[in-house]
């Protein structure tokens, strides 16, 4: 995208994120990644009268093994973390999620917006007030639930015991102190009690494995007992998931992470065919998907801090909260969560 268009979408983003005159906004990048986006955010923030600077970390050294969440170049830079804690807002172009550093920055009151998807996707899925309202309705309903049940025509039947961990919402912008969000995003999630997931999840053809960024072709059947995955079986896709999870050599990787549903009618299930190099935020957000995840729950305040994390948005599921139907066969049933 040319710089002026990028500045326009960043201006929209920072406005939706409540950036005001004299606010301190830091854009965080590393290496040569997303420098055009960093420049656009700097220019947009300046237009709003914010006090901007760009903190650029070096390119990470090549490491062996699987991509891990929660490991960032800030870990060896406590002075940089201190500077970020003093900001009103940090624009994260690195992907700090699940890192101790992100938690420290939020705890100090700085809000964080992560933007790592390709610019054309950022432009297509701009945050809107309507989307935020819709997500907040979902979060309100989810936060009151004590039990979630998910079923599917392929044989999923799993129960999450809720009420222990908070409900989180992502709507693609952030204007509250200490709040994190990710652009683009439109979904709600929470986590079960640590021993509170039991049943079977059958990931069906067309469902999505993130961070593999692939569509499942053969069913994968997960058996879950007391919050732990005790069995994974199926064909090639199941073997790939098992091999990936084993590579972390971490029993905590078999825990159950966040669970919820997507709310953006503009997001497309086939999005990975257009942006195969992205992080899959479009897939997490498409309207009526039900997404379960495996691995850490420290984002919600839980004890599981494993680096082994998969997000798995599924189609055509039904989701019930305390026996009220929220999603039926992949369609949101609550009027306030439907696209107007
Ligand atoms: Fe996740």
């Amino acid at each position: 995208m040319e710089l002026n268009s990028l500045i326009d979408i960043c201006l929209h983003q920072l406005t939706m994120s409540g950036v005001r005159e004299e606010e301190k906004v830091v854009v965080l990048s590393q290496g040569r990644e997303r420098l055009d986006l960093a420049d656009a955010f700097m220019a947009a923030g300046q237009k709003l009268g914010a006090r901007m600077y760009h903190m650029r970390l070096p390119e990470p050294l090549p490491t062996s093994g699987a991509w891990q969440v929660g490991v960032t170049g800030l870990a060896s830079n406590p002075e940089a973390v201190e500077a970020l804690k003093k900001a009103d807002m940090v624009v994260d172009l690195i992907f700090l999620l699940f890192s101790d550093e992100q938690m420290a920055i939020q705890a100090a009151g700085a809000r964080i917006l992560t933007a790592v998807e390709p610019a054309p996707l950022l432009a297509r899925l701009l945050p809107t007030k309507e989307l935020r309202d819709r997500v907040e309705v979902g979060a309100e309903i989810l936060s009151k639930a004590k039990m979630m049940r998910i079923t599917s025509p392929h044989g999923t039947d799993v129960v999450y015991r809720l009420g222990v961990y908070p409900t989180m919402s992502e709507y693609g912008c952030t204007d509250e102190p200490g709040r994190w969000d990710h652009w683009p995003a439109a979904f709600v999630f929470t986590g079960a009690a640590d021993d509170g997931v039991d049943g079977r999840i059958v990931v069906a053809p067309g469902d999505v494995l993130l961070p593999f960024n692939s569509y499942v072709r053969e069913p994968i059947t997960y058996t879950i007992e007391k919050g732990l995955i005790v069995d994974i079986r199926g064909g090639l896709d199941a073997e790939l998931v098992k091999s990936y999870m084993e590579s972390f050599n971490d029993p905590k990787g078999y825990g159950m992470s966040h669970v919820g549903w997507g709310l953006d009618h503009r997001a497309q299930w086939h999005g990975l065919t257009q942006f195969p190099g992205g992080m899959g935020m479009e897939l997490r957000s498409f309207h009526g998907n039900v997404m379960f995840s495996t691995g850490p729950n420290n984002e919600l305040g839980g004890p599981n801090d494993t680096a082994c994390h998969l997000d798995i948005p599924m189609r055509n599921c039904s989701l019930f909260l305390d026996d009220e139907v929220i999603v039926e066969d992949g369609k949101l049933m609550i009027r306030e969560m439907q696209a107007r």
Side-chain angles (χ1 to χ4, degrees):
M1 272 172 81
E2 59 140 338
L3 186 61
N4 276 340
S5 317
L6 266 185
I7 293 172
D8 284 346
I9 64 170
C10 291
L11 192 58
H12 177 90
Q13 169 57 248
L14 293 182
T15 304
M16 289 295 294
S17 287
V19 170
R20 299 179 303 274
E21 263 182 60
E22 294 301 309
E23 274 203 313
K24 291 170 283 180
V25 179
V26 185
V27 178
L28 175 67
S29 74
Q30 70 185 4
R32 302 207 56 78
E33 285 172 6
R34 304 182 185 91
L35 289 179
D36 52 347
L37 194 56
D39 286 344
F41 267 115
M42 297 285 284
Q46 209 172 23
K47 283 191 186 193
L48 294 172
R51 289 156 55 196
M52 307 292 302
Y53 72 89
H54 180 181
M55 178 186 288
R56 182 176 168 191
L57 300 177
E59 198 81 49
L61 294 170
T63 50
S64 57
W67 181 75
Q68 298 195 336
V69 294
V71 182
T72 83
L74 281 181
S76 54
N77 267 302
E79 298 82 359
V81 177
E82 286 310 309
L84 295 172
K85 283 159 77 172
K86 293 194 179 100
D88 294 301
M89 178 169 177
V90 175
V91 177
D92 160 31
L93 306 182
I94 292 179
F95 197 72
L96 296 178
L97 189 61
F98 298 111
S99 66
D100 292 343
E101 295 75 36
Q102 167 158 347
M103 289 179 205
I105 294 163
Q106 285 179 260
R111 60 192 192 274
I112 303 180
L113 180 86
T114 298
V116 293
E117 290 281 13
L121 186 60
L122 299 179
R124 189 152 63 71
L125 301 180
L126 290 172
T128 70
K129 170 85 169 66
E130 186 207 338
L131 198 60
R132 176 173 175 171
D133 290 346
R134 199 187 295 166
V135 169
E136 287 183 334
V137 167
E140 175 75 14
I141 293 174
L142 180 55
S143 68
K144 291 181 180 145
K146 295 285 172 241
M147 198 266 285
M148 177 190 291
R149 181 173 177 216
I150 302 167
T151 62
S152 80
H154 285 85
T156 295
D157 194 348
V158 65
V159 171
Y160 285 69
R161 183 158 44 84
L162 308 179
V164 175
Y165 292 117
T167 290
M168 314 275 280
S169 57
E170 292 186 26
Y171 42 78
C173 56
T174 182
D175 65 0
E176 293 158 21
R179 186 178 181 279
W180 171 78
D181 211 312
H182 196 162
W183 175 27
F187 53 90
V188 295
F189 61 95
T190 188
D194 294 338
D195 62 350
V197 188
D198 288 276
R200 183 173 57 188
I201 297 177
V202 184
V203 179
D207 295 343
V208 183
L209 296 174
L210 304 168
F212 295 7
N213 286 13
S214 66
Y215 295 98
V216 168
R217 288 173 191 268
E218 297 171 86
I220 309 171
T221 301
Y222 291 76
T223 305
I224 302 129
E225 292 175 3
K226 294 187 166 60
L228 273 183
I229 296 162
V230 296
D231 189 62
I232 301 172
R233 64 183 61 200
L236 175 61
D237 292 307
E239 293 303 315
L240 285 168
V241 167
K242 282 165 69 170
S243 176
Y244 178 74
M245 291 174 80
E246 280 165 17
S247 73
F248 287 82
N249 199 17
D250 181 358
K252 289 182 294 189
Y254 296 85
M256 295 298 282
S257 186
H258 54 92
V259 65
W261 63 90
L263 288 138
D264 192 344
H265 61 290
R266 304 166 305 173
Q268 291 170 330
W269 164 68
H270 66 264
L272 280 178
T273 62
Q274 289 170 295
F275 299 111
M279 289 215 56
M281 291 308 291
E282 183 168 23
L283 284 298
R284 291 175 176 87
S285 301
F286 74 86
H287 203 252
N289 87 72
V290 170
M291 180 165 74
F292 87 102
S293 317
T294 62
N297 68 353
N298 55 338
E299 182 190 13
L300 295 162
N304 190 333
D305 60 353
T306 181
C308 177
H309 183 44
L310 285 125
D311 280 351
I312 306 178
M314 302 184 291
R315 298 185 302 164
N316 307 318
C317 289
S318 297
L319 184 150
F320 307 83
L321 293 175
D322 300 329
D323 297 325
E324 181 188 8
V325 62
I326 306 296
V327 183
E328 186 173 274
D329 300 330
K331 291 190 180 56
L332 279 158
M333 301 305 285
I334 310 280
R335 196 180 54 82
E336 292 85 351
M337 285 191 269
Q338 292 168 345
R340 268 165 268 159

